[in-house]
Amino acid sequence: MTILDGKKTSADIKAEIAEKVKELKAQGKKTPHLAAVIVGNDGASKTYVGAKVKACELVGFESTLIELPEETSEEALLQKINDLNQDNAIDGYIVQLPLPRHIDEHKVLLAIDADKDVDGFHPTNVGRMALELPTFLPATPYGILELLERYQVPTSGKNVVVIGRSHIVGRPMSILMSQKRAAGDATVTVAHSRTQNLKELTLQADIVVVALGVAEFLTGDMVKEGVTIIDVGITRIEDSSKKNGFRLAGDVHFDSVAPKAEFITPVPGGVGPMTIAMLLKNTLLAGERKS
Ligand code: GUN
């Protein structure tokens, strides 16, 4: 069994990006600049955005964090987005999701300049991704592709089951892995809450990508020997034996699944750190495209 080490791989990618930034600076070119917008006080979202901004500092990027209160109107957020679209100093930016209920997510994503949409969530960029045109790939699926590629996990002709059909992970993952690409050429099934006989599907799978948000959902009896497991979930569960009172669990019951797996991502330290590394990669690309 090989652990797909996202922490190490993301550190390698960040080192590659930092090297590139040094070159840009030495050539007197512009330093890439990422902005992140967060609306409200969701603890997990704040942690994620904080990690993204910190990663920018680590590789030598400029970063701007824009924190807006929960009660921010849709109009005010759209105005902020318009400002970011016009601001030449900003190469790329993200609006952290989920947004408060009173704000229409689709309206917001549509307002982002597609050339600055380093999350790859704008309909134009989703379309470009589906058509295999150059674009910003969404960071989590992109990170998974990079992990599979760097560890040379075979994907061509393999059966992949993606559990979850979210716009951020499951749906793009299924599209990307069915395409002609290094970590692609797979036969992909998308499973979701209405799927019947899920276990029959996962038992046939060479690769299972679990992006459901249900702690320890996938158990050892649901997978075959030699399977590759990609665990996108990260949930806090109470654990009185821990000092802080909780532990982090993935969507995979690691202890029963890992003994059957050829490759598996841990939680934490698997897909999560890769997401941040690929956001940086997209920001670097946004800066290069502009210059
Ligand atoms: N919420 C959960 N994942 C993401 C992500 O990759 N980008 C943004 N903007 N919001 C998220």
Side-chain angles (χ1 to χ4, degrees):
M1 188 258 293
T2 301
I3 294 278
L4 299 173
D5 187 342
K7 202 170 162 193
K8 182 192 171 294
T9 309
S10 74
D12 292 346
I13 295 168
K14 282 189 252 181
E16 291 159 20
I17 295 171
E19 203 49 48
K20 192 87 201 173
V21 174
K22 261 194 208 157
E23 280 172 28
L24 290 174
K25 286 184 180 173
Q27 293 163 1
K29 292 193 178 151
K30 184 180 176 304
T31 304
H33 189 158
L34 175 76
V37 182
I38 179 165
V39 187
N41 293 310
D42 181 71
S45 289
K46 281 193 154 187
T47 307
Y48 297 144
V49 172
K52 290 171 185 179
V53 170
K54 208 169 129 199
C56 283
E57 286 164 21
L58 189 84
V59 299
F61 284 4
E62 305 273 353
S63 63
T64 300
L65 175 61
I66 299 160
E67 293 180 283
L68 301 173
E70 177 81 23
E71 60 276 13
T72 302
S73 68
E74 186 179 280
E75 196 189 351
L77 177 59
L78 290 171
Q79 183 55 53
K80 189 81 228 169
I81 286 171
N82 190 43
D83 294 346
L84 288 165
N85 287 344
Q86 305 297 329
D87 186 345
N88 273 331
I90 305 289
D91 297 296
Y93 68 95
I94 64 161
V95 178
Q96 188 66 22
L97 303 177
L99 288 165
R101 278 163 185 266
H102 65 276
I103 297 177
D104 181 344
E105 182 181 300
H106 287 292
K107 233 183 191 176
V108 169
L109 295 181
L110 200 59
I112 296 174
D113 178 349
D115 290 331
K116 292 190 175 188
D117 169 40
V118 285
D119 257 332
F121 293 168
H122 188 285
T124 295
N125 288 329
V126 177
R128 294 184 66 89
M129 174 201 66
L131 295 170
E132 300 178 59
L133 296 169
T135 187
F136 302 113
L137 296 182
T140 301
Y142 191 11
I144 294 169
L145 294 179
E146 195 74 21
L147 258 187
L148 292 170
E149 212 176 302
R150 290 190 185 222
Y151 278 87
Q152 297 180 347
V153 176
T155 60
S156 179
K158 301 294 181 189
N159 285 328
V160 176
V161 172
V162 177
I163 309 178
R165 55 182 162 184
S166 74
H167 294 166
I168 294 181
V169 187
R171 179 75 57 200
M173 197 69 236
S174 68
I175 294 169
L176 290 163
M177 288 205 74
S178 72
Q179 292 176 341
K180 259 189 201 312
R181 56 171 63 249
D185 286 322
T187 305
V188 184
T189 304
V190 184
H192 46 77
S193 55
R194 299 296 171 96
T195 297
Q196 294 180 7
N197 305 322
L198 176 65
K199 189 172 168 180
E200 277 175 28
L201 296 173
T202 54
L203 278 171
Q204 298 289 324
D206 302 301
I207 300 171
V208 185
V209 180
V210 202
L212 202 61
V214 178
E216 299 175 340
F217 174 83
L218 189 82
T219 47
D221 59 311
M222 296 170 75
V223 298
K224 68 177 183 184
E225 287 287 341
V227 70
T228 291
I229 300 289
I230 305 293
D231 187 350
V232 185
I234 186 154
T235 313
R236 279 183 181 191
I237 48 181
E238 277 183 33
D239 185 339
S240 56
S241 72
K242 301 280 177 199
K243 239 200 303 191
N244 51 13
F246 69 86
R247 68 184 172 90
L248 292 173
D251 286 357
V252 174
H253 187 262
F254 191 89
D255 290 349
S256 62
V257 173
K260 295 176 92 173
E262 174 111 33
F263 297 96
I264 186 166
T265 60
V267 174
V271 173
M274 292 302 293
T275 297
I276 295 182
M278 304 326 278
L279 175 67
L280 298 177
K281 215 163 163 157
N282 279 344
T283 306
L284 185 66
L285 176 66
E288 282 172 351
R289 274 194 188 175
K290 264 179 47 183
S291 57

